[in-house]
Amino acid sequence: MIIVDGYSLTLADVVKVARGYETVGLSEAGRKQIIDSRKIVDKILEEESPVYGISTGFGDFSQIFISKEKREKLQRNLILSHATGVGQYLPEDVVRSAMVLRANSLAKGYSGIKLSSVEMLLAMLNKRVCPAVPAKGSVGASGDLAPLSHMVLVMLGEGQAFVNGKLVSGAEALAQNGLKPVALGGKEGLALINGTQIMTAVGCMVWQDAVDLMKTADVAAALCIEALKGTRTAFDPRISQVRPHIGQLATTENMLRLTADSAIIESHVNCSKVQDAYSLRCVPQVHGASKDALRRLEETLTVEINAATDNPLIMPDTGEAISGGNFHGQPIALVMDYLKLALAEIGNISERRTNRLLDSHLSELPPFLTAYPGEDSGLMITQYTAASLVSENKVLVHPASADSIPTSANQEDHVSMGTIAARQAGEILDNVRYILAIECLAAAQGIDFLSPLNPGKGTGAAHKAIRQVVPHLDEDRMPAPDIKSIYDLIADRTLVIKVEEAIGTLKIS
């Protein structure tokens, strides 16, 4: 069980809950923090002074005072009116991630929510009630208001949820699991939706997948270097030691370990070629820079998953309710845009390596890696697909955080678009998986043509894993199923696992 206290949640914990269905509980400290914070809100509710979101309306309605008898209705209406999401539903792992992140934030004791409401959120999570949350509709400031409202609707017995893969009403989802809808007290609706948990949840899932993708990129590059009879000279550690970026150093070590004991590379060690093209020679510099961007994302997410992002914040030491802007998603927006570029560059350089494999003028391999050029097209059109995906990524990589549009009658006049940036990062990552799958397909075919020479220890394990799902291309067949098979090999981590079983853990930093 993962125990949340508002301070010690890790990215690994989030992944375990989101994808491994680990159960979640509250620490004793978290319970006390929630209870103490709620006492302060109860005291404020008894007073007649205006406090944003507790005894006033929201956004541009913050100047309107709400009487005591209408404050519970105010919170319910907040959730109902803010549930404006559109588009396809977010994946289950993202929603589960958002649920544990929201519970952890509330456990810090700065939001004034009732303990029973947090327990309800965790009960839904542990019973695998997954709210149906549309992906689009958040501008990433004042929190992820629309998507989080859809999450909270189910707590009220409203909206829709997935139970055992079936979409049912929120009321039915609760009833099937022996749960009763909650009635929100003062401040609670605001406490549940005023935060960055959707963009952060997407970010956490993309981060985990990007870790594996960076390793896969090194594997693909090493396979390509083998097939193209590239040199290991560019991976001399002394080169990176005089420019010691962490990602570059890690990539250099990976490339050396992947290609160690390669009979292919040894066979041309004394050839006349002085140096390889940039897409081969500069793998440590390019892949390494992307890994450094991923490390920056990890640093930001680690702070954010243990942050209080509510407004107003309830200060336990003084009893004050202080209005501020912790709900603003700019920290996440900027690093997700940074990661978008880092991922897109992995795809850019991969496609260039694939192109070299297919061009016989550059590869010294059969044209388009077919033994029957002219009669067969071989893997010619796979590069078209990779080029298409690279081009699509160039559109998606435009920084979402560079845009802002005012909302709530200009009260909320600068927004982050962080949730858009996070979703786009996921799209780019998926495209890059396919681009790397195409590179692996071509590289494996190229290595086949160099038989009986064997690749290195790591590249050999990768080649074997690929050949277990995709046979050598003897004559033309549909490449699409082959690409998808290798994509699956990448997505389910099998390729990286097989390589790491042979040479140990590949480095990211």
Side-chain angles (χ1 to χ4, degrees):
M1 177 178 283
I2 303 296
I3 303 297
V4 296
D5 59 9
Y7 294 90
S8 57
L9 192 67
T10 67
L11 288 171
D13 291 338
V14 176
V15 174
K16 287 177 183 177
V17 173
R19 294 177 171 171
Y21 298 98
E22 190 78 49
T23 55
V24 185
L26 271 172
S27 69
E28 286 305 313
R31 288 176 179 276
K32 183 177 187 304
Q33 286 155 191
I34 291 169
I35 292 169
D36 290 348
S37 178
R38 184 62 196 178
K39 289 177 181 177
I40 296 170
V41 171
D42 287 339
K43 185 174 183 297
I44 292 172
L45 286 167
E46 291 301 314
E47 300 171 353
E48 289 299 315
S49 57
V51 177
Y52 176 75
I54 299 178
S55 54
T56 75
F58 310 103
D60 194 47
F61 290 144
S62 60
Q63 305 303 316
I64 299 177
F65 184 77
I66 308 298
S67 60
K68 288 182 181 180
E69 61 272 13
K70 294 182 178 179
R71 290 175 190 170
E72 288 192 5
K73 183 180 180 183
L74 172 72
Q75 300 301 316
R76 181 179 176 83
N77 284 350
L78 172 70
I79 303 303
L80 293 171
S81 65
H82 283 47
T84 59
V86 298
Q88 295 183 343
Y89 294 125
L90 290 169
E92 181 185 25
D93 58 356
V94 170
V95 177
R96 288 181 58 81
S97 175
M99 292 169 77
V100 70
L101 293 178
R102 198 71 201 129
N104 189 58
S105 181
L106 296 170
K108 289 181 77 73
Y110 289 90
S111 297
I113 196 168
K114 290 187 291 189
L115 177 61
S116 57
S117 296
V118 181
E119 289 176 333
M120 174 61 158
L121 185 59
L122 292 180
M124 286 167 48
L125 185 62
N126 291 336
K127 290 178 180 290
R128 302 191 187 184
V129 175
C130 181
V133 179
K136 299 181 180 181
S138 175
V139 295
S142 290
D144 286 313
L145 295 174
L148 285 173
S149 293
H150 284 275
M151 182 185 81
V152 177
L153 277 176
V154 181
M155 296 173 61
L156 311 182
E158 303 283 353
Q160 292 179 300
F162 289 96
V163 179
N164 297 322
K166 183 181 178 182
L167 185 64
V168 299
S169 70
E172 185 178 347
L174 296 185
Q176 286 183 19
N177 287 278
L179 301 172
K180 294 182 179 180
V182 299
L184 298 179
K187 174 67 169 68
E188 288 200 283
L190 197 61
L192 285 163
I193 68 171
N194 217 331
T196 61
Q197 280 68 43
I198 296 295
M199 69 180 80
T200 305
V202 176
C204 288
M205 298 301 99
V206 172
W207 167 81
Q208 177 62 70
D209 291 339
V211 169
D212 295 326
L213 193 80
M214 297 296 178
K215 294 180 178 181
T216 302
D218 287 355
V219 172
L223 284 167
C224 192
I225 286 165
E226 295 268 22
L228 291 171
K229 292 186 177 180
T231 177
R232 283 161 45 101
T233 303
F235 312 132
D236 188 319
R238 293 171 296 180
I239 296 173
S240 292
Q241 285 165 3
V242 296
R243 195 194 191 195
H245 291 293
I246 294 172
Q248 180 174 332
L249 289 164
T251 307
T252 294
E253 181 177 330
N254 287 349
M255 298 304 291
L256 289 172
R257 289 166 56 211
L258 283 161
T259 56
D261 303 325
S262 168
I264 295 174
I265 291 176
E266 184 63 28
S267 72
H268 58 86
V269 70
N270 294 315
C271 69
S272 60
K273 188 187 295 184
V274 177
Q275 56 187 14
D276 292 319
Y278 286 5
S279 59
L280 305 179
R281 195 192 334 159
C282 298
V283 167
Q285 290 77 15
V286 177
H287 288 198
S290 291
K291 290 171 185 171
D292 288 340
L294 182 60
R295 191 176 67 257
R296 180 71 184 94
L297 171 65
E298 181 179 0
E299 292 168 356
T300 300
L301 288 175
T302 299
V303 173
E304 193 72 5
I305 65 176
N306 289 292
T309 55
D310 198 357
N311 181 53
L313 290 171
I314 308 302
M315 295 299 160
D317 51 344
T318 63
E320 296 174 276
I322 304 178
S323 289
N326 275 5
F327 50 72
H328 201 294
Q330 196 75 356
I332 301 298
L334 289 178
V335 291
M336 292 311 302
D337 276 335
Y338 186 15
L339 184 70
K340 282 162 51 179
L341 183 58
L343 292 171
E345 282 302 296
I346 292 293
N348 285 353
I349 196 169
S350 171
E351 183 276 332
R352 289 292 80 200
R353 291 191 297 262
T354 297
N355 183 70
R356 299 191 75 83
L357 285 164
L358 299 178
D359 187 341
S360 59
H361 299 94
L362 303 174
S363 68
E364 300 179 14
L365 293 165
F368 303 109
L369 299 173
T370 175
Y372 310 103
E375 177 184 347
D376 285 1
S377 294
L379 296 178
M380 179 191 296
I381 308 302
T382 63
Q383 185 263 333
Y384 290 41
T385 301
S388 170
L389 294 169
V390 165
S391 188
E392 183 176 332
N393 285 348
K394 290 174 184 177
V395 176
L396 290 169
V397 83
H398 175 82
S401 57
D403 185 35
S404 178
I405 190 167
T407 57
S408 195
N410 280 299
Q411 172 71 8
E412 298 161 4
D413 56 357
H414 181 277
V415 297
S416 75
M417 303 300 181
T419 313
I420 296 173
R423 288 193 295 103
Q424 288 175 329
E427 290 183 63
I428 291 171
L429 186 145
D430 198 57
N431 286 342
V432 175
R433 276 182 179 153
Y434 278 111
I435 295 166
L436 291 173
I438 290 168
E439 182 183 1
C440 287
L441 177 67
Q445 183 79 357
I447 288 172
D448 290 346
F449 283 114
L450 302 180
S451 181
L453 294 174
N454 293 319
K457 193 172 182 181
T459 45
H463 182 267
K464 182 179 178 181
I466 292 165
R467 283 290 168 255
Q468 286 175 342
V469 297
V470 174
H472 175 79
L473 183 68
D474 292 314
E475 57 183 25
D476 276 359
R477 62 173 183 262
M478 280 198 308
D482 293 346
I483 295 170
K484 182 59 166 62
S485 293
I486 300 176
Y487 169 93
D488 292 340
L489 200 68
I490 293 170
D492 68 11
R493 298 195 69 247
T494 300
L495 184 61
V496 167
I497 288 171
K498 293 296 185 183
V499 170
E500 291 188 331
E501 285 176 351
I503 65 170
T505 303
L506 292 168
K507 284 193 170 183
I508 295 297
S509 60

